[in-house]
Amino acid sequence: MCGVIGEDGLVPRARSRLPVVCAAGLSLLMLVFAWLLDSDSFRERAEMFLFCLTVERFIHSMCLFAEEWLVHSRQRYRGRINEIFQACFQGHVILGMCAIFLMLMFGAVSFSHEQWSTMAITCAVYLLLNSLGVLGPAPVEISEICEVKKMNVAHGLAWSFYIGYLKFVLPDLQNKINQYSSTRVKLSSPRLHILLPLNAVVPTKPEEEDTNVVFHENLPELELDIAGVRNRSYKNCVYKINQDNKTFSCVLEYATPLRTLYQMSQESSAGFGERERKQQVLLFYRTLSQILENSLECRNRYRLVLLNDEHTGDPHYLSRVIIQHLKQQDGEIHMDPIREPPNEIHPVPEEGQIRNFKSALYATFPEDPMSSEPTLMFSPPQSLRSEPVETTDYYK
């Protein structure tokens, strides 16, 4: 036998129902023990505690409903009260409250003032402990929920997209664009535009979605030795976007992991449908934004373009959105690389906040750095709700 641990020792197995069986067995033993100690008042006490548990869960669900309705109704549920209700209230809690209401209305159960006081204190203590997180799920329970609900898909895909692709491509993007622009037309933007459709439908070619988006040519390839593959090729494409007799050019591509999300939504064994797929796309967008914002080597070299899937009837929606992003970048403050004296190595700013006044002035006016005053250009107010805010300080 070889000395390597087998697959069974590396790959975790799916969790079984053993905790449920153990809890059910222990609960049965405790109920029998309580009945043996005081069989006369066993039924009355059982009804009181069932009443407390049901009311506690119902009040907790009401608190959740207040948060979702008042704060997240439009963003998460598009104002649909029935979806908020389904997300906050479990079916057995509603049935339990209905049963309690009917029993109290018809006098099937009655409690003394002392019992009502005890139940009120029990509910108050439960809500307090639950709000403080004392009764929250254990880490192993959270892990099981994520595995069962397939909630880690988008997070893993975002990290895979960054580690396996963007981390190689984005830092070298400026060099490839410089090589391209030295012999060809200058691009409208030096960034990689990553398209993320909310419906996760990724066409083979952007021309299939919009005829105004036309493939032009490829940037110089990047070849790396990765995972045993020699000279693995990474390349990006330049597209021309036509609108109103004007032509824009930029580097763009779809986020390929979204193809995985779409294919998974078509498989019943994957565990989520269209609504869950859309939530995963949004989670993918948010996670990827956070990853790239925290990456110094990728910052300001990309543009995430979130595409709404509710644009039926507009055949040129894609080109319109891309051009809107390009125009917005034209109005942003941009700095050309600083021209440094030979044999000196200094950081070269690309875009961001201007803090080193002398270096910025020398980069902008190399011939006569003190002959004129610096000018700041500001873009007109535009909505940035759906885009991450990028701030860069290369002098910090």
Side-chain angles (χ1 to χ4, degrees):
M1 293 180 63
C2 61
V4 181
I5 301 177
E7 183 178 305
D8 292 338
L10 293 175
V11 181
R13 293 177 295 178
R15 292 186 173 91
S16 64
R17 306 295 294 175
L18 181 60
V20 178
V21 175
C22 293
L26 291 175
S27 298
L28 182 60
L29 290 177
M30 290 181 177
L31 289 175
V32 172
F33 181 72
W35 182 80
L36 292 176
L37 289 178
D38 190 2
S39 58
D40 296 332
S41 60
F42 176 80
R43 178 181 176 182
E44 181 179 355
R45 292 177 180 272
E47 292 175 350
M48 185 175 66
F49 282 105
L50 286 175
F51 179 91
C52 288
L53 291 175
T54 305
V55 173
E56 289 163 358
R57 293 300 303 171
F58 182 79
I59 297 176
H60 177 63
S61 298
M62 288 292 295
C63 296
L64 297 177
F65 183 85
E67 161 75 14
E68 299 300 308
W69 181 41
L70 296 176
V71 182
H72 308 290
S73 175
R74 184 176 61 85
Q75 295 88 347
R76 295 178 181 265
Y77 306 95
R78 298 185 180 181
R80 299 171 182 172
I81 301 298
N82 59 329
E83 293 186 5
I84 303 176
F85 189 86
Q86 293 175 3
C88 298
F89 291 91
Q90 296 177 311
H92 63 270
V93 175
I94 300 300
L95 292 177
M97 284 302 301
C98 292
I100 290 175
F101 178 78
L102 293 176
M103 287 188 294
L104 292 176
M105 186 174 61
F106 292 104
V109 293
S110 60
F111 301 106
S112 63
H113 291 287
E114 182 180 356
Q115 291 173 330
W116 279 110
S117 177
T118 301
M119 290 187 292
I121 294 175
T122 304
C123 292
V125 172
Y126 171 85
L127 293 174
L128 179 61
L129 295 178
N130 193 59
S131 63
L132 296 176
V134 178
L135 303 180
V140 67
E141 294 176 299
I142 298 176
S143 175
E144 183 179 9
I145 292 173
C146 292
E147 292 177 7
V148 173
K149 298 294 185 179
K150 309 292 190 304
M151 298 172 64
N152 289 327
V153 176
H155 187 267
L157 288 177
W159 274 104
S160 177
F161 191 43
Y162 167 70
I163 297 294
Y165 177 66
L166 296 179
K167 193 174 183 181
F168 302 135
V169 172
L170 290 180
D172 191 60
L173 181 63
Q174 188 62 50
N175 294 331
K176 293 191 294 184
I177 290 178
N178 291 339
Q179 297 176 25
Y180 175 85
S181 300
S182 62
T183 58
R184 297 171 179 83
V185 180
K186 185 178 179 180
L187 298 180
S188 303
S189 171
R191 299 177 179 178
L192 172 63
H193 294 73
I194 305 174
L195 309 180
L196 300 101
L198 280 178
N199 56 10
V201 177
V202 178
T204 306
K205 302 176 182 179
E207 297 93 324
E208 299 175 0
E209 292 291 318
D210 192 335
T211 55
N212 284 348
V213 181
V214 181
F215 170 77
H216 182 54
E217 58 183 322
N218 294 321
L219 288 178
E221 296 185 10
L222 171 66
E223 293 185 350
L224 297 173
D225 297 336
I226 300 295
V229 180
R230 302 298 178 89
N231 298 325
R232 174 172 287 182
S233 176
Y234 297 87
K235 61 182 178 181
N236 305 103
C237 300
V238 177
Y239 285 86
K240 289 187 175 181
I241 302 96
N242 303 313
Q243 186 185 62
D244 299 332
N245 297 324
K246 294 182 180 180
T247 301
F248 301 82
S249 59
C250 67
V251 184
L252 65 87
E253 62 185 56
Y254 283 90
T256 51
L258 298 188
R259 290 175 57 89
T260 302
L261 287 177
Y262 182 80
Q263 294 297 331
M264 289 180 65
S265 67
Q266 305 302 310
E267 298 287 340
S268 58
S269 58
F272 64 91
E274 182 178 352
R275 179 183 175 185
E276 290 77 12
R277 181 187 68 201
K278 191 170 185 177
Q279 294 296 325
Q280 292 293 319
V281 172
L282 293 173
L283 179 59
F284 176 86
Y285 170 81
R286 186 180 67 182
T287 305
L288 186 61
S289 300
Q290 295 172 350
I291 294 172
L292 293 176
E293 285 176 2
N294 294 327
S295 174
L296 296 179
E297 55 190 357
C298 296
R299 189 181 297 174
N300 278 341
R301 302 178 187 271
Y302 69 93
R303 188 83 169 187
L304 299 183
V305 182
L306 197 61
L307 301 175
N308 193 353
D309 56 352
E310 298 180 352
H311 59 274
T312 56
D314 187 356
H316 301 301
Y317 169 77
L318 178 59
S319 59
R320 183 165 53 83
V321 172
I322 296 175
I323 291 176
Q324 180 181 357
H325 279 267
L326 294 175
K327 290 182 177 180
Q328 183 175 338
Q329 294 174 66
D330 287 340
E332 296 176 354
I333 300 175
H334 179 76
M335 291 179 58
D336 294 328
I338 297 178
R339 302 178 184 179
E340 298 290 348
N343 300 326
E344 293 187 14
I345 301 177
H346 295 280
V348 179
E350 293 176 356
E351 292 181 353
Q353 299 176 354
I354 303 177
R355 293 191 179 183
N356 191 331
F357 175 79
K358 293 183 178 179
S359 298
L361 190 60
Y362 180 71
T364 308
F365 309 101
E367 297 180 357
D368 188 7
M370 300 302 295
S371 61
S372 58
E373 296 296 328
T375 302
L376 297 180
M377 302 300 295
F378 296 93
S379 61
Q382 298 188 28
S383 175
L384 293 174
R385 288 187 176 180
S386 62
E387 294 294 330
V389 179
E390 301 175 6
T391 57
T392 306
D393 186 2
Y394 288 91
Y395 297 94
K396 188 175 179 180

